[in-house]
Amino acid sequence: MEFLPQHGLSMTPLLSFGVLLVVGTLGGYLAHHWSWLPSITGFMGVGFLVGPSVLGLLDYNTLKDARILIDIALALILYRLGSSLDLRFIRASPRLLAVALLESGCTFIAVFAVSFWLGFSPVIAAVIAAILISSSPAVLLHVAHEVGAKGPVTESAKTLVALNNLLSFLVFALVIPALLLQENAGWQQVILQPLYLLLGSALLGLVVGLGLHFISSRTAKAAQYKLALVVGALMLTLGLAQQLQLSMLFAPLIVGIVVRSVEQDEVVSALEFGSAFELFFIVLFVFAGASLHLKELIAYAPAILALVFTRSLVKVLAVSVALRFGLQPWGKASATGLLLIPMAGLAIGLVQTSGKLVPEQAAVIAAVVLGAVTLFETFGPPIAAFAFGLAGEAADSTPVRPQSPWRQGAWRQQHEVQVDVSALVAAEPEDNALAEPQKADSRSFRFWPFGKKA
């Protein structure tokens, strides 16, 4: 009977992928019965239910084996985020960089101070503060598309979200030496490992990004192969980053930034990944929910609420005041700040990275950050919709509180919740806002040896 299985069933990565998708889909469907509850919360809820803290269907070893699926999902998300950041736009509007630096710095200081006051060690407080700098592009892009938002506030918010995610990773890299010192690492590792991680990942992303642009620009007529080319380049980036022990978060982000900044006709930077991309988003958030620890989540609930309130308040105030000094009306300045409140993808990735560096503190960091992500993904979409109305850039240009932006869906009845992760597969509204500041600067420059002048 050698043709029969010799061992019992085990949870392989392939089987865990199926489990994550099935339970995630059920969680999203159940969330549709409450119009105020986004599907992402449903994904995380069922993930928590089947995770080690409750039913144990997905244990810690299974989650560890499924990490490659999460890396793929994060690579696609971060590439999409990086492709929304055009360095030419930053060069023409340097004040946005100043606003991003101010906002990110204020967020880090405020969250660090509150975390330390709540009893976290300085190192853990710094890790949490670095992660909470980041914002979610998913909510911004999806809600902007659904309400038809277009204009300077929309484009400025996209740029600021990309910038503070980039700054979040940079600050996180600066905290790594403190983490290593806490683990009693040698001085060579403390100094050289962060430098290798940061510079090596940036170089890898630069090389792959330039190579992707070179190939895509010379095969532009074969549109049917664009998706395969981009996904292949990202998988190549992940494979090389894994073997070279570089960051599997930072490198894909740099690939997106490079491609967007060197392209002249948006050959692949504006590429839509298609509806299948939602599969990886479901897996990502179910995985995040399964990684929650019930004991720590309950214990740190007051801290989560305090940090969510602090982060939201500081981001809105910092951006609003900075832009108001730039002579923007209070309504538009405040709307830009509100659009930076949601937080998701990069935060989840950095939680996994910090767990590798300080395994004994992984449960605490995951409980605080993922608990905050759950809250931000619950009230983030209606805040974003209100912000677009406040800025007067929604389709009706009416600054009033709109209905929940996830009300319509392809496989649901009207007035139910839409999967808000579709932001990254939806076509963005056309806008010429990026072109205006470029016309004011007549100087030309090269981004790489083979490219045309911008």
Side-chain angles (χ1 to χ4, degrees):
M1 306 290 287
E2 294 181 356
F3 59 88
L4 295 176
Q6 301 300 311
H7 304 285
L9 293 177
S10 59
M11 189 63 72
T12 63
L14 187 60
L15 186 58
S16 63
F17 183 68
V19 171
L20 290 170
L21 280 178
V22 171
V23 299
T25 302
L26 293 176
Y29 177 76
L30 292 175
H32 301 153
H33 292 285
W34 293 275
S35 60
W36 53 270
L37 187 65
S39 298
I40 286 178
T41 305
F43 300 153
M44 295 186 70
V46 295
F48 177 72
L49 183 64
V50 302
S53 297
V54 185
L55 298 179
L57 180 61
L58 299 174
D59 56 22
Y60 293 108
N61 290 330
T62 301
L63 295 177
K64 182 179 179 181
D65 293 338
R67 178 59 196 271
I68 185 61
L69 304 174
I70 309 307
D71 292 334
I72 294 173
L74 288 172
L76 295 171
I77 295 169
L78 291 171
Y79 168 81
R80 187 69 181 87
L81 172 62
S83 64
S84 68
L85 179 58
D86 193 337
L87 296 181
R88 291 167 292 192
F89 184 46
I90 298 298
R91 181 174 179 264
S93 303
R95 67 183 180 86
L96 282 180
L97 178 59
V99 172
L101 290 171
L102 174 65
E103 175 268 314
S104 298
C106 290
T107 301
F108 178 84
I109 293 172
V111 172
F112 175 82
V114 172
S115 300
F116 184 71
W117 177 72
L118 290 171
F120 293 99
S121 68
V123 175
I124 299 303
V127 171
I128 294 174
I131 296 175
L132 263 60
I133 291 174
S134 65
S135 297
S136 171
V139 172
L140 173 64
L141 296 175
H142 170 66
V143 178
H145 173 71
E146 188 158 77
V147 303
K150 54 189 302 185
V153 170
T154 303
E155 295 304 325
S156 296
K158 290 178 183 178
T159 301
L160 287 174
V161 166
L163 282 173
N164 74 10
N165 277 271
L166 180 61
L167 292 171
S168 176
F169 185 88
L170 293 177
V171 174
F172 182 83
L174 294 176
V175 176
I176 290 178
L179 289 173
L180 295 175
L181 284 175
Q182 183 173 276
E183 296 297 306
N184 298 318
W187 67 268
Q188 291 181 330
Q189 183 180 3
V190 169
I191 296 175
L192 297 179
Q193 182 175 349
L195 287 176
Y196 175 74
L197 184 68
L198 185 61
L199 299 180
S201 302
L203 180 60
L204 174 61
L206 176 65
V207 172
V208 174
L210 294 177
L212 175 59
H213 170 67
F214 182 84
I215 297 175
S216 62
S217 62
R218 282 153 180 78
T219 59
K221 294 182 179 180
Q224 68 272 27
Y225 299 121
K226 288 182 182 179
L227 179 61
L229 181 61
V230 172
V231 174
L234 292 176
M235 296 305 100
L236 178 64
T237 302
L238 288 181
L240 291 174
Q242 184 180 51
Q243 295 194 41
L244 297 173
Q245 298 188 33
L246 297 172
S247 174
M248 300 173 74
L249 298 172
F250 195 51
L253 179 65
I254 296 299
V255 172
I257 294 174
V258 170
V259 170
R260 175 63 182 271
S261 298
V262 301
E263 278 193 338
Q264 303 298 316
D265 300 319
E266 294 187 348
V267 178
V268 294
S269 61
L271 178 69
E272 296 180 26
F273 286 105
S275 58
F277 180 57
E278 289 187 19
L279 301 179
F280 290 99
F281 236 114
I282 293 174
V283 168
L284 173 63
F285 284 101
V286 175
F287 179 88
S291 300
L292 289 172
H293 298 77
L294 181 60
K295 181 179 179 181
E296 287 80 5
L297 196 61
I298 296 175
Y300 293 104
I304 293 171
L305 294 174
L307 293 175
V308 165
F309 176 78
T310 300
R311 175 186 177 274
S312 302
L313 181 64
V314 171
K315 280 187 175 292
V316 174
L317 287 178
V319 173
S320 300
V321 173
L323 293 179
R324 185 68 184 93
F325 275 112
L327 302 180
Q328 275 201 17
W330 273 114
K332 293 183 179 295
S334 300
T336 306
L338 289 171
L339 290 171
L340 269 64
I341 287 180
M343 180 182 75
L346 182 65
I348 296 174
L350 291 179
V351 165
Q352 305 305 319
T353 302
S354 61
K356 292 181 178 181
L357 296 172
V358 282
E360 68 282 358
Q361 299 289 345
V364 174
I365 297 173
V368 173
V369 176
L370 297 181
V373 166
T374 302
L375 293 179
F376 284 125
E377 289 304 299
T378 298
F379 62 74
I383 288 179
F386 172 77
F388 285 123
L390 182 64
E393 295 189 358
D396 57 3
S397 298
T398 304
V400 296
R401 182 177 182 86
Q403 291 183 342
S404 178
W406 46 74
R407 293 250 180 187
Q408 298 176 357
W411 55 290
R412 299 173 294 276
Q413 296 179 353
Q414 192 176 5
H415 304 303
E416 293 185 342
V417 179
Q418 183 179 3
V419 180
D420 60 353
V421 298
S422 63
L424 299 183
V425 301
E428 300 179 26
E430 295 182 359
D431 197 347
N432 296 325
L434 290 178
E436 295 177 357
Q438 297 176 33
K439 294 178 181 178
D441 190 351
S442 60
R443 293 175 295 174
S444 61
F445 55 98
R446 292 182 183 274
F447 286 95
W448 67 301
F450 303 101
K452 298 180 179 179
K453 290 184 178 181

